[in-house]
Amino acid sequence: MWTPANNLEQERLDKLNHLVENGVAPYPNRVKCTHSSQEAIRAFEAVETEDHQTPEPVEVTVCGRIVRQNLKGKVYFAHIEDGAGRVQLFVRIDSVGEETYAMIKDVLDMGDFVQAAGTMMRTRAGEASVLVTDLVVLSKALSPLPVIKERVTEDGQVERYGTFSDVEERYRQRYADLAVNPDTRAVFRARALTVRALRTFLDGEGFLEVETPILQPIYGGAAARPFTTHHNQLHQDLFLRISFELYLKRLLVGMYDAVYEIGRDFRNEGVSFKHNPEFTQLEFYKAYTDYHGMMDLAERLVAFAAEQVTGSTTISFQGNTINLAPPWKRITLRDAIRECSGIDYMDYPDADSLRAEMRAKGLEASSSATWGKLVDGLLGDTVEPTLIQPTFITDYPRDISPLAKTVPGDPKHVERFEIFVGGMEMGNAFTELNDPLDQEARFIEMGRLYSDEDDEATPIDEDYLRSMRYGMPPAGGLGMGVDRLVMLLTDRSTIREVLLFPHLRERD
């Protein structure tokens, strides 16, 4: 049984017991609500005359959480908040009766949910309010909501203080964070708008939304370590998917020309400001196109989402003004690395020589990394932080891209691009490899390059190869992290700010 942690919680529990002892249900089964807070105000303003009169009373019943209250003798003012906004309650003892007014005075606290019925009016201060004739407790809050306040320091910085100033505590108690922080609620409304915009755009382009398995007998489609689970009835080990790719491309074989999926992926890897063990991914695949077609789709998709969510294709992100309107810059990986590091990696055709050159320039270079992984490391360390405006980095090493077609006449590179905006990678795309024999050879080659313990290891998916042997049309495909897109559109510096319930370490 719950035990109050402090005097405030004990006082609230006593008030709850007082309600029960007086025959008042503190958590009633039935609720009446005729208007949201903003609907009530609009209904009143629609009939209000210039001298603040109404031809006939506007009767409303509103519900919400008490976020402000002030008791002055025989008059009680409160603001209640619902999902639409706030409305003021104006309660007089002669309007509700002594019994109800005593309940208000003795029992109501900040954070309680109430139902208020009455007539809309305008107070002397000019605020549209509900003149309450009946007030009912809907939910008695036993714990006071956390307090979070802001003040400007001497050096002009905004400092948060109060019982809820700890950022990690806000993540752990997201429900309370949402209850007291309108800015947090705004982020997740923007997230919902972002997902809706992605769907609207792709539906308008003729794509079909589908669902593919989350539990998979073989993981694939990305370079990541999976989470493993076990099916008791089937006596079978399964993996939480790390990508949708191989299943979505099976659907191209099955004569769907354009498919997409928005859903959760799971990767058993590090946590950072842009990584969470489970995250929302968008992947889409289209027949009869290539990575150039995917670039066109990607820049139009992101620009459309920005317009829908922020009202503009020009956004502010971490102090930078970013223009998401097409066309975006396109540059090969080789040229980008050469510009930023001074290294032309093609002058160092094997891992040992490239590793030596990187170390000579003071760059980190793993002793076990393949040539392609070293190139990828150069990208992450020297190029990625500089890519603030939207940029397509194209043509990647073959040995880290087993699902993409080789660049004609260039056996070292494949037709692949990554999207970078705001100094972080946002998406990954290929001209999809549709030669089943080449694909099988790539899987075997990857097995030789990487040990079973390496996150880059790619298991051979025999069923995927079988599907390809039936014939897969030439296609382009793209995967994009929805969480990072939301970070971009809401100007948030960490992925935890855009996940309702981010994964956190257990407390000691």
Side-chain angles (χ1 to χ4, degrees):
M1 180 66 70
W2 173 72
T3 301
N6 50 52
N7 290 337
L8 285 175
E9 289 187 342
Q10 183 62 57
E11 288 175 8
R12 287 176 177 239
L13 181 59
D14 292 342
K15 291 176 180 180
L16 173 71
N17 292 331
H18 177 76
L19 285 171
V20 174
E21 289 165 2
N22 284 274
V24 178
Y27 307 101
N29 287 36
R30 303 291 173 259
V31 179
K32 181 181 179 182
C33 185
T34 63
H35 296 72
S36 72
S37 60
Q38 298 310 294
E39 288 170 346
I41 293 171
R42 287 195 297 268
F44 174 63
E45 291 176 341
V47 299
E48 186 182 26
T49 62
E50 289 185 3
D51 59 354
H52 303 313
Q53 301 298 312
T54 55
E56 57 185 47
V58 178
E59 303 286 346
V60 300
T61 301
V62 293
C63 300
R65 185 195 291 274
I66 298 172
V67 293
R68 173 186 164 274
Q69 61 179 356
N70 186 15
L71 184 70
K72 292 183 177 180
K74 297 182 179 182
V75 178
Y76 170 77
F77 287 94
H79 278 97
I80 64 170
E81 188 171 289
D82 58 13
R86 293 185 179 188
V87 66
Q88 181 170 258
L89 306 183
F90 177 47
V91 185
R92 292 196 300 244
I93 190 170
D94 58 355
S95 297
V96 297
E98 292 186 4
E99 186 176 339
T100 298
Y101 199 78
M103 183 270 294
I104 292 171
K105 184 174 66 173
D106 297 337
V107 174
L108 288 189
D109 288 302
M110 296 278 285
D112 291 350
F113 283 88
V114 296
Q115 169 186 301
T119 305
M120 293 300 297
M121 60 167 288
R122 194 170 292 279
T123 63
R124 290 179 184 176
E127 183 170 359
S129 307
V130 182
L131 176 59
V132 177
T133 56
D134 184 57
L135 191 137
V136 176
V137 176
L138 297 179
S139 179
K140 180 64 189 167
L142 296 181
S143 295
L145 285 168
V147 176
I148 184 166
K149 298 180 180 180
E150 292 183 351
R151 60 188 168 207
V152 179
T153 61
E154 292 182 358
D155 59 357
Q157 300 297 310
V158 176
E159 178 183 75
R160 287 191 164 191
Y161 66 99
T163 58
F164 215 37
S165 57
D166 183 87
V167 173
E168 184 171 313
E169 195 61 31
R170 288 174 44 225
Y171 299 153
R172 290 186 186 278
Q173 297 188 56
R174 182 66 87 189
Y175 37 86
D177 184 25
L178 291 164
V180 300
N181 265 330
D183 287 348
T184 302
R185 294 200 296 273
V187 166
F188 291 101
R189 288 194 179 96
R191 183 187 177 100
L193 288 175
T194 302
V195 174
R196 184 186 306 166
L198 298 176
R199 284 197 167 96
T200 299
F201 178 87
L202 291 169
D203 290 345
E205 292 286 325
F207 283 77
L208 177 69
E209 184 175 10
V210 298
E211 295 175 304
T212 59
I214 292 175
L215 290 174
Q216 300 180 350
I218 298 176
Y219 66 93
R225 189 180 299 276
F227 288 95
T228 305
T229 187
H230 184 78
H231 194 297
N232 292 332
Q233 181 68 29
L234 299 179
H235 306 291
Q236 182 181 15
D237 287 334
L238 296 168
F239 304 98
L240 296 180
R241 68 185 177 191
I242 61 173
S243 169
F244 320 151
E245 179 167 351
L246 301 188
Y247 281 91
L248 290 177
K249 290 196 289 192
R250 285 170 168 91
L251 299 180
L252 298 180
V253 174
M255 297 302 291
Y256 291 114
D257 287 349
V259 293
Y260 77 94
E261 182 170 3
I262 300 173
R264 295 298 245 190
D265 275 342
F266 307 85
R267 298 183 182 178
N268 195 355
E269 53 190 19
V271 176
S272 75
F273 77 94
K274 57 183 178 179
H275 294 95
N276 194 67
E278 59 175 308
F279 59 96
T280 301
Q281 181 87 337
L282 162 67
E283 290 194 33
F284 57 89
Y285 296 83
K286 185 175 183 179
Y288 316 120
T289 188
D290 55 22
Y291 75 151
H292 295 292
M294 289 296 106
M295 289 184 219
D296 172 67
L297 274 171
E299 61 189 8
R300 290 193 294 114
L301 170 67
V302 172
F304 178 82
E307 189 79 51
Q308 294 297 303
V309 175
T310 71
S312 174
T313 55
T314 300
I315 64 168
S316 176
F317 180 71
Q318 300 303 293
N320 297 296
T321 298
I322 297 176
N323 182 7
L324 296 172
W328 295 354
K329 179 181 178 180
R330 305 181 184 194
I331 182 173
T332 66
L333 178 64
R334 181 182 181 184
D335 287 343
I337 289 176
R338 186 162 46 198
E339 287 180 11
C340 292
S341 72
I343 297 175
D344 184 347
Y345 61 75
M346 290 300 287
D347 290 341
Y348 308 93
D350 58 73
D352 289 339
S353 61
L354 180 56
R355 185 179 296 111
E357 177 63 14
M358 290 172 64
R359 289 175 175 173
K361 289 187 176 292
L363 298 170
E364 185 176 345
S366 168
S367 298
S368 61
T370 66
W371 182 80
K373 285 298 294 178
L374 291 172
V375 172
D376 195 49
L378 281 170
L379 168 65
D381 292 342
T382 67
V383 180
E384 183 171 339
T386 72
L387 300 176
I388 304 303
Q389 298 302 320
T391 304
F392 295 113
I393 301 293
T394 69
D395 301 348
Y396 279 63
R398 183 178 183 275
D399 72 13
I400 57 170
S401 312
L403 300 166
K405 281 187 175 178
T406 303
V407 174
D410 182 0
K412 284 286 237 182
H413 293 91
V414 296
E415 293 191 351
R416 170 187 173 187
F417 70 80
E418 287 185 308
I419 302 167
F420 292 89
V421 189
M424 61 182 173
E425 185 257 316
M426 302 289 296
N428 184 33
F430 312 140
T431 298
E432 301 295 339
L433 182 59
N434 64 335
D435 178 341
L437 302 181
D438 189 3
Q439 184 65 83
E440 183 176 19
R442 299 276 195 96
F443 283 151
I444 294 171
E445 179 183 357
M446 291 290 287
R448 288 197 303 266
L449 287 172
Y450 299 103
S451 68
D452 291 341
E453 290 74 31
D454 198 305
D455 286 351
E456 303 296 313
T458 302
I460 296 178
D461 188 333
E462 294 288 356
D463 183 70
Y464 174 64
L465 293 173
R466 178 167 57 237
S467 74
M468 291 184 71
R469 289 194 291 269
Y470 284 110
M472 188 176 91
L478 184 146
M480 180 179 295
V482 174
D483 309 311
R484 292 186 190 178
L485 180 59
V486 177
M487 287 172 61
L488 188 71
L489 298 182
T490 58
D491 192 14
R492 291 302 186 270
S493 62
T494 169
I495 196 171
R496 292 179 176 182
E497 290 283 356
V498 301
L499 297 173
L500 278 170
F501 302 102
H503 183 78
L504 300 168
R505 293 183 187 274
E506 291 184 358
R507 285 198 175 99
D508 295 333

